[in-house]
């Protein structure tokens, strides 16, 4: 069998197909379901997954990007040398490419292992069971495979499960999501991710303090902006691909959110564009990889950069990761603090609220290096139209 792509509206009934028949849908634009267990073994990559040659990953070894390592416990100790070192390293990284790692972060290793085990359990489910959590058009949360979405070309070779999480200690939004969408038996998994998201929120607020100090912003400014946030957690699974030279796990993009905290399993796949050259960031169980997104680039008035990155796949083994995306409080205005605006550095981006930017990336624009610039033009045009 080459591959199986199932269109819920147009595929032949199961009784009309013979065992071993290929089912191919050409120029497919309707939402489809794909079964990763079949996709793993196909020798011919469906055309929707094939990327242009100039955008594909090279088969040659990609050089390593040695990102700065920030010792969170040392920073929190208040030791002046440790604090100064963290501020210096973060500032340098965020001016160059926006990526760094954190160690001694306070997140229990057993919780991280549990989160990975729960992720693996979910993605190992039959496709019809995963479909209980399917992401509906226009929604942010739910299960998504490459064919469930807005695009019908240059599709990523992956499946994901996304859900919202709350910074409120009393919230059970994650546990309730798993119970509501997947059933009572998933309540324990929901509790694991509830705890994991709380730890990610705590860690992200500490990282925001480091970022604030590195920019010379008054203490607590960013902490206040992100207090009471409803952020996003995403589980990623990249199945093996027999032709990894033709496709990508995730295409080149910049994250629209403020901060991403990623934990990779022990398979390489994350690549970052630095000086127009792709560099690899190897996984380390003891580290979280952190990168700033477009929203924080706006908060820093363009001083810090969100950076183009992608995920590649391989033919030998699957790869997976846990990604936490910190988002501002939905009611707060995203604008740089006064310390970062001056006659020499005027405002680069208009004021906005996170839900408006999220809507733009979900409905109007496929994220890339120009997302924030395009969004700013969109906002400015809307304001001119409103006032004109």
């Amino acid at each position: 069998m080459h591959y199986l792509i199932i269109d819920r509206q147009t595929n032949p009934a199961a009784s009309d197909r013979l065992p071993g028949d290929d089912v191919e849908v050409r120029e497919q634009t309707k939402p489809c379901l794909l079964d990763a267990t079949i996709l793993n073994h196909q020798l011919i990559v469906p055309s929707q997954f094939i990327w242009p040659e100039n955008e594909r990953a090279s088969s040659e070894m990609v050089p390593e990007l040695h990102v700065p390592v920030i010792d969170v416990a040392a920073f929190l100790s208040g030791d002046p040398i440790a604090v100064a070192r963290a501020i210096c390293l973060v500032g340098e990284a965020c001016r160059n490419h926006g990526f760094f790692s954190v160690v001694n972060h306070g997140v229990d290793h057993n919780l991280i292992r549990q989160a990975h085990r729960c992720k693996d359990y979910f993605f190992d489910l039959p496709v019809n069971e995963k479909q209980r959590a399917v992401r509906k058009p226009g929604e942010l949360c739910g299960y998504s495979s490459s064919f469930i979405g807005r695009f019908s070309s240059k599709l990523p070779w992956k499946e994901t499960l996304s859900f919202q999480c709350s910074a409120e200690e009393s919230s059970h939004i994650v546990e309730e999501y798993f119970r509501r969408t997947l059933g009572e038996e998933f309540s324990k998994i929901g509790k694991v991710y509830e705890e994991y998201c709380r730890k990610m929120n705590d860690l992200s607020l500490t990282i925001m303090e480091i970022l604030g100090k590195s920019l010379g912003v008054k203490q607590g400014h960013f902490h206040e902006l992100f207090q009471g946030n409803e952020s996003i957690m995403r589980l990623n699974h990249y199945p093996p691909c027999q032709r990894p030279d033709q496709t990508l796990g995730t295409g080149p993009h910049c994250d629209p959110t403020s901060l991403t905290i990623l934990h990779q399993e022990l398979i390489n796949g994350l690549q970052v564009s630095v000086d127009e050259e792709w560099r690899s960031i190897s996984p380390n169980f003891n580290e979280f990889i952190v990168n700033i997104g477009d929203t924080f680039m706006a908060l820093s008035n363009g001083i810090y950069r969100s950076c183009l990155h992608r995920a590649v796949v391989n033919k030998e083994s699957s790869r997976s990761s846990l990604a936490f995306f910190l988002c501002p409080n939905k009611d707060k205005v995203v604008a740089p603090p006064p310390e970062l605006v001056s006659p020499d550095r005027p405002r680069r981006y208009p004021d906005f609220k996170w839900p408006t930017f999220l809507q733009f990336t979900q409905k109007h624009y496929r994220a890339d290096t120009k997302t924030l610039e395009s969004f700013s033009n969109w906002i400015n045009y809307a304001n001119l139209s409103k006032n004109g």
Side-chain angles (χ1 to χ4, degrees):
M1 175 180 287
H2 293 310
Y3 56 92
L4 177 64
I5 304 175
I6 305 173
D7 180 335
R8 281 181 288 187
Q9 298 182 6
T10 63
N11 71 296
S15 57
D16 296 331
R17 298 198 304 270
L18 297 174
D21 278 355
D22 292 347
V23 180
E24 178 179 355
V25 182
R26 298 185 185 277
E27 303 302 325
Q28 180 62 47
T29 57
K30 298 175 183 177
C32 296
L33 313 180
L34 63 83
D35 188 339
T37 59
I38 296 173
L39 203 64
N40 293 356
H41 306 292
Q42 65 186 50
L43 300 177
I44 298 176
V45 175
S47 61
Q48 295 94 332
F49 290 93
I50 296 177
W51 285 65
E53 287 191 24
N54 65 323
E55 297 183 45
R56 298 178 192 174
S58 170
S59 57
E60 298 177 3
M61 184 71 72
V62 173
E64 181 77 10
L65 175 63
H66 297 286
V67 297
V69 180
I70 310 303
D71 188 327
V72 175
F75 172 82
L76 291 174
S77 74
D79 175 70
I81 295 175
V83 170
R85 176 174 171 77
I87 289 171
C88 179
L89 289 174
V90 164
E92 183 180 355
C94 291
R95 283 180 172 87
N96 292 330
H97 48 65
F99 276 78
F100 55 93
S101 72
V102 294
V103 296
N104 297 325
H105 40 66
V107 183
D108 187 88
H109 285 178
N110 287 329
L111 177 60
I112 297 172
R113 290 189 184 94
Q114 276 187 297
H116 278 293
R117 282 197 294 267
C118 290
K119 162 186 54 63
D120 295 342
Y121 177 81
F122 174 79
F123 287 122
D124 283 343
L125 291 171
V127 67
N128 64 308
E129 292 189 39
K130 289 182 282 193
Q131 282 301 116
R132 286 187 286 173
V134 68
R135 187 170 78 189
K136 297 178 175 61
E139 292 188 358
L140 183 65
C141 299
Y143 169 73
S144 177
S145 59
S146 293
F147 272 88
I148 303 168
R150 298 169 290 152
F151 307 109
S152 57
S153 64
K154 297 202 300 185
L155 295 178
W157 193 271
K158 69 174 179 180
E159 54 182 343
T160 64
L161 179 67
S162 305
F163 45 91
Q164 280 192 306
C165 46
S166 172
E168 300 297 330
E169 282 292 326
S170 59
S171 172
H172 298 283
I173 185 175
V174 177
E175 183 184 350
E176 289 166 1
Y177 171 79
F178 274 84
R179 186 188 295 119
R180 184 178 68 253
T181 58
L182 291 165
E184 189 65 37
E185 65 272 25
F186 283 83
S187 180
K188 288 184 179 179
I189 290 179
K191 287 180 180 177
V192 169
Y193 286 121
E194 196 89 65
E195 178 64 15
Y196 186 86
C197 289
R198 286 198 183 103
K199 295 298 183 183
M200 289 298 100
N201 184 71
D202 292 344
L203 178 58
S204 66
L205 294 181
T206 299
I207 294 169
M208 278 293 159
E209 284 300 305
I210 301 174
L211 287 166
K213 282 183 176 292
S214 71
L215 285 164
V217 174
K218 74 173 183 178
Q219 188 169 356
H221 177 86
F222 291 134
H223 191 283
E224 182 183 345
L225 182 68
F226 290 93
Q227 213 160 18
N229 69 79
E230 287 191 356
S231 293
I232 303 161
M233 182 74 203
R234 177 170 295 162
L235 318 181
N236 298 307
H237 174 234
Y238 305 93
C241 178
Q242 297 306 306
R243 293 299 307 272
D245 58 314
Q246 293 186 346
T247 190
L248 289 169
T250 303
H253 68 287
C254 295
D255 295 337
T257 48
S258 301
L259 195 72
T260 303
I261 303 178
L262 181 77
H263 196 272
Q264 307 182 81
E265 285 196 306
L266 301 180
I267 304 291
N268 276 351
L270 174 62
Q271 295 183 354
V272 180
S273 178
V274 181
D275 298 327
E276 299 186 353
E277 179 186 22
W278 288 106
R279 309 281 292 276
S280 175
I281 299 181
S282 296
N284 181 331
F285 183 85
N286 296 319
E287 297 180 346
F288 285 102
I289 299 297
V290 180
N291 67 276
I292 64 169
D294 285 340
T295 298
F296 195 83
M297 185 161 71
L299 284 169
S300 74
N301 200 28
I303 296 172
Y304 286 175
R305 296 175 53 197
S306 60
C307 189
L308 198 67
H309 55 286
R310 68 184 183 185
V312 299
V313 293
N314 67 82
K315 64 165 63 175
E316 287 81 22
S317 57
S318 64
R319 175 180 174 269
S320 60
S321 62
L322 305 167
F324 175 84
F325 301 98
L326 179 69
C327 309
N329 184 304
K330 63 182 179 181
D331 297 321
K332 298 287 180 69
V333 174
V334 174
E339 299 96 312
L340 304 183
V341 181
S342 68
D344 293 332
R345 183 174 285 277
R347 287 286 302 273
R348 289 191 60 181
Y349 311 106
D351 290 356
F352 63 90
K353 291 185 178 180
W354 164 244
T356 306
F357 189 28
L358 177 63
Q359 181 186 42
F360 178 78
T361 62
Q362 294 295 301
K363 295 185 178 180
H364 302 289
Y365 199 86
R366 191 169 188 168
D368 59 19
T369 53
K370 297 181 179 178
T371 305
L372 189 54
E373 179 184 336
S374 298
F375 174 68
S376 297
N377 293 336
W378 184 70
I379 287 282
N380 289 332
Y381 180 79
N383 289 339
L384 281 173
S385 301
K386 189 188 302 181
N387 298 327

